[in-house]
Amino acid sequence: MRSLNSILELSVEELDQLIATAKDIIAHPEAYQDKCAHKKLATLFFEPSTRTRLSFEAAMLELGGSVLGFSEAASSSASKGESVADTAKIISCYADIIAMRHPKEGAPYVASRAATIPVINAGDGGHNHPTQTLADLLTISREMGRLENLTIGVCGDLKYGRTVHSLIEAMSRYPGTKFVLISPKELKIPGFIRYNVLERNRIPYTEVSSLEEAIHELDVLYMTRIQRERFDDPWEYERLKDSYILNTDKMHLAKERMCVLHPLPRVNEISVKVDDDPRAAYFRQALNGKYMRMALILKLLEEAERDPVREAIDTESLEYDRVCRNPKCISQVEQELPQLFRCTDRAADIHRCIYCEQRG
Ligand code: CP
């Protein structure tokens, strides 16, 4: 049995297979309408969501299954202090698969180690959002006709934008990918993406602060919201919130064949006038999310049926003598959770927390 915490847990072959399944669902929805009959999806959302939660629920309903769950921590026993691990054990008694969103980084991972059913990370703090990336990959494939040899601009909050982290992890594995990272200096990508993904795999990337100067070279422009809820200092958010606004003037500078993606919600960073441009793919991207979540639910439930035993973790390279200092890590609040680190670069002596991937 497998869960999904990071997009890197899926091989490129598996990503391509999920995309192929999603395209088949789009072409033949009737062939899938009973595939999950008598199966239940639990959506455990400790943070707000429109697209992810409702597309997960629509996905399960269109597969013939049922859904249960909660949409805020306040209506669950988390508000009484119940741990993530205990919640996951309890929900395993009632459902066949879990989709979990949580403000603490690594919380779905903790749930996946406690549950006896597959757990899907539906967004953990500023860390990862792998099913958004599945939606992004299907969108790029459908809009551009390929996933190789693309120059991808990611623009906005690259520090806290979990969708950007998962997208860079995924697209770095397709040949010919180049990234243009467009952000204010305060919101550059974190070390676990810069060193673990881009530098380690020698992926070409440039860092700039001007969208106008970069847009002409892009095949894909991935806009993101400045993540107000992740800032410790509200004035810092106010200063940075309108750093980038894509408008029709800037779209005139872009290639005719470019596509614009945004995980949504947008706040102010794409003018509504851009919506009528055929290159604006963000609403189609939200629909694609439902198809990819259908494909993922099918895959994880089939795997769980074939092999109901939880995948073992590699304990060989784990280290126990460090402390995570990331206040947003689940290890800061979960009862008796061991501090665990993995060495990711022996030569440079870099160790990362297994929950949030921050350096220890
Ligand atoms: N893209 C995304 O995660 O949207 P929601 O927060 O509405 O789920």
Side-chain angles (χ1 to χ4, degrees):
M1 182 189 80
R2 261 211 304 181
S3 290
L4 181 68
N5 285 291
S6 156
I7 199 73
L8 292 175
E9 293 164 18
L10 294 168
S11 66
V12 172
E13 292 70 32
E14 286 176 310
L15 292 175
D16 292 343
Q17 187 56 54
L18 286 168
I19 291 169
T21 303
K23 288 180 177 172
D24 196 55
I25 292 170
I26 294 166
H28 309 288
E30 66 291 343
Y32 292 86
Q33 65 192 8
D34 296 318
K35 290 268 186 197
C36 287
H38 313 297
K39 296 288 184 191
K40 284 172 277 179
L41 165 75
T43 50
L44 312 184
F45 277 61
F46 298 82
E47 253 195 354
S49 166
T50 295
R51 275 146 296 274
T52 311
R53 184 171 67 84
L54 295 177
S55 68
F56 259 117
E57 295 189 357
M60 193 50 154
L61 294 172
E62 289 186 27
L63 291 167
S66 312
V67 295
L68 65 161
F70 50 82
S71 58
E72 53 175 358
S75 63
S76 80
S77 285
S79 63
K80 303 175 207 160
E82 186 162 44
S83 68
V84 167
D86 282 359
T87 304
K89 285 180 189 163
I90 296 303
I91 301 301
S92 298
C93 305
Y94 308 143
D96 300 286
I97 187 165
I98 292 171
M100 174 184 281
R101 171 170 290 187
H102 201 286
K104 290 289 178 190
E105 299 176 9
Y109 177 73
V110 170
S112 73
R113 300 313 308 165
T116 54
I117 58 177
V119 176
I120 301 170
N121 179 359
D124 62 326
H127 185 215
N128 279 328
H129 194 349
T131 66
Q132 177 62 49
T133 303
L134 295 179
D136 303 341
L137 295 183
L138 178 60
T139 307
I140 295 170
S141 169
R142 294 183 80 191
E143 299 288 325
M144 302 303 291
R146 67 187 196 280
L147 287 165
E148 300 81 20
N149 301 314
L150 292 168
T151 298
I152 301 171
V154 284
C155 177
D157 186 346
L158 312 190
K159 180 178 180 186
Y160 298 118
R162 58 194 174 197
T163 63
V164 168
H165 307 157
S166 296
L167 180 72
I168 292 174
E169 287 178 332
M171 289 304 299
S172 290
R173 294 187 292 165
Y174 286 90
T177 298
K178 289 185 207 156
F179 290 105
V180 182
L181 307 176
I182 309 159
S183 76
K185 65 179 185 326
E186 296 86 349
L187 298 176
K188 287 185 171 189
I189 49 158
F192 79 93
I193 295 296
R194 182 186 303 277
Y195 301 111
N196 275 16
V197 182
L198 295 173
E199 302 278 346
R200 175 181 291 176
N201 299 304
R202 300 190 181 165
I203 308 298
Y205 72 95
T206 53
E207 292 184 285
V208 298
S209 56
S210 164
L211 174 58
E212 286 91 327
E213 282 171 28
I215 197 167
H216 69 277
E217 61 177 303
L218 307 179
D219 300 307
V220 177
L221 171 58
Y222 196 93
M223 294 295 295
T224 63
R225 173 177 71 90
I226 308 292
Q227 306 263 314
R228 177 169 49 85
E229 64 277 28
R230 313 270 176 235
F231 278 75
D232 295 325
D233 177 357
W235 294 109
E236 179 82 337
Y237 168 73
E238 287 300 320
R239 194 170 64 77
L240 295 172
K241 69 178 183 186
D242 289 329
S243 296
Y244 301 101
I245 299 176
L246 181 65
N247 55 23
T248 49
D249 287 346
K250 292 190 188 104
M251 288 297 285
H252 287 312
L253 304 173
K255 289 183 187 174
E256 265 179 42
R257 189 76 208 285
M258 185 189 69
C259 68
V260 182
L261 273 61
H262 191 311
L264 304 178
R266 73 174 148 192
V267 180
N268 209 20
E269 55 281 347
I270 302 180
S271 161
V272 292
K273 293 195 181 75
V274 175
D275 297 358
D276 295 330
D277 190 308
R279 295 169 290 183
Y282 28 92
F283 292 115
R284 297 190 288 278
Q285 183 184 0
L287 177 60
N288 287 332
K290 180 185 72 174
Y291 297 123
M292 284 302 265
R293 290 179 176 110
M294 290 172 81
L296 180 66
I297 290 169
L298 281 172
K299 177 180 172 60
L300 294 183
L301 283 178
E302 278 166 17
E303 287 186 9
E305 208 153 299
R306 267 202 313 276
D307 181 5
V309 178
R310 190 191 308 132
E311 264 195 337
I313 54 170
D314 167 20
T315 50
E316 277 284 299
S317 59
L318 285 183
E319 301 187 4
Y320 302 85
D321 57 350
R322 290 168 194 268
V323 176
C324 183
R325 292 190 177 78
N326 173 12
K328 298 183 169 90
C329 178
I330 187 66
S331 66
Q332 307 290 317
V333 291
E334 188 80 353
Q335 187 182 356
E336 293 167 39
L337 194 63
Q339 297 274 336
L340 295 174
F341 281 76
R342 204 181 286 288
C343 181
T344 56
D345 188 333
R346 193 66 63 192
D349 196 31
I350 293 174
H351 302 75
R352 294 195 180 274
C353 169
I354 66 160
Y355 307 108
C356 70
E357 297 185 79
Q358 293 270 330
R359 272 185 84 164

